[in-house]
Amino acid sequence: MTVESFANANECKRISDCSCEYFDGTGVNLKPVKDSGAQPLHTNVSNGDAYYFSPCEDIAYTTDDTKPNVTNIDCRKGYTLCKYDAARNELVRLGELKETQFIAEDGLSLTYIRPNHSITHVKLVCTTDKKSFFFLDSVTNVTTNLLLFSPYACPIVVEDFSKPSTGTVLLIMLFVVAVSYFVIGATVNAFYLGARGVEIVPHFDFWRGLPGLVRDGAQFIQNGCRVTNRTPDPDSYDAI
């Protein structure tokens, strides 16, 4: 295996705003981490800072919104990742949903790069706990490293939404077969058998009698799958 193919095998291809898929068909889906409209994941730091994380939707609220004299309310414009800076008493937007990048280096991380050159990594850590936990790992002037411990960070078999479902494939096949049947049958009847009008429909007698067959079948089932005695048609051979 070459270095390039090994790198591609470790790549987690983005298939939605908060899910990605590996080469082997497994992947990560973070949608269950937070219900829509619920409070974001958050972690408080000893110096008074706080971080808020909503991995699958941009939201515009934090529990620090009500703090007095907040000088910057950038997070209220909508964020996926937000920081409350206690020293400056401001809310700083670290990432938006559209900026999410899945980086598979030393584990899988969600990376957000802001125009002000701040870089934030949220490393996903697979756990067996039923709840998700969010912590600060380290921070420098430019880079912030956060940790998300969650059962939803564990690789699972995911559905690639870019591929049609089995039902869709079967419907497409049925449509193609039906169209081919009528087109080819009509062509043969018209050009080789000289049929005209409705007679070019392949097996026309069968399709014309199909409603009657369906009616008879329904009556047969309604009668408990018993054949009922019917008065013969006066013009039939049985009536003679």
Side-chain angles (χ1 to χ4, degrees):
M1 179 181 290
T2 64
V3 174
E4 182 179 358
S5 60
F6 179 77
N8 291 336
N10 286 337
E11 178 185 1
C12 198
K13 180 182 177 182
R14 176 173 176 160
I15 57 176
S16 73
D17 288 332
C18 57
S19 62
C20 67
E21 183 178 13
Y22 291 106
F23 180 78
D24 62 359
T26 62
V28 171
N29 180 17
L30 298 177
K31 192 171 183 63
V33 169
K34 186 186 84 68
D35 294 332
S36 180
Q39 289 293 331
L41 299 173
H42 74 278
T43 182
N44 296 317
V45 188
S46 58
N47 64 357
D49 291 350
Y51 294 86
Y52 299 89
F53 186 40
S54 173
C56 296
E57 64 174 343
D58 285 329
I59 59 176
Y61 54 88
T62 73
T63 56
D64 287 310
D65 285 352
T66 58
K67 288 184 180 293
N69 303 320
V70 175
T71 58
N72 186 349
I73 55 174
D74 191 37
C75 290
R76 294 183 186 176
K77 299 177 183 178
Y79 72 90
T80 290
L81 193 59
C82 176
K83 174 186 178 181
Y84 171 69
D85 190 324
R88 299 180 179 180
N89 195 26
E90 63 180 6
L91 293 169
V92 182
R93 184 166 49 175
L94 299 180
E96 299 176 63
L97 192 61
K98 64 183 180 181
E99 299 168 343
T100 305
Q101 300 180 41
F102 293 89
I103 307 297
E105 295 179 1
D106 189 25
L108 182 62
S109 297
L110 305 184
T111 297
Y112 305 88
I113 302 176
R114 298 294 294 163
N116 59 2
H117 304 295
S118 70
I119 302 174
T120 306
H121 304 287
V122 181
K123 185 173 182 178
L124 305 184
V125 182
C126 173
T127 66
T128 57
D129 293 329
K130 294 182 179 180
K131 293 184 178 181
S132 299
F133 301 94
F134 186 52
F135 299 103
L136 174 67
D137 184 21
S138 62
V139 60
T140 65
N141 291 335
V142 177
T143 304
T144 301
N145 294 299
L146 297 157
L147 299 173
L148 175 62
F149 293 85
S150 174
Y152 306 109
C154 303
I156 58 172
V157 177
V158 296
E159 178 182 359
D160 188 345
F161 299 104
S162 64
K163 298 177 182 177
S165 64
T166 302
T168 301
V169 173
L170 292 176
L171 287 175
I172 293 174
M173 292 176 61
L174 178 62
F175 176 77
V176 171
V177 170
V179 171
S180 300
Y181 164 75
F182 281 104
V183 171
I184 295 174
T187 301
V188 171
N189 288 343
F191 292 97
Y192 290 91
L193 302 180
R196 294 293 181 268
V198 295
E199 292 181 352
I200 68 172
V201 177
H203 304 102
F204 174 72
D205 291 336
F206 168 77
W207 295 113
R208 182 173 58 181
L210 183 61
L213 296 175
V214 173
R215 182 187 66 246
D216 292 343
Q219 291 177 348
F220 178 71
I221 295 174
Q222 187 177 8
N223 292 330
C225 298
R226 295 191 302 270
V227 178
T228 58
N229 295 325
R230 296 185 303 174
T231 303
D233 189 333
D235 297 328
S236 67
Y237 178 80
D238 293 336
I240 299 175

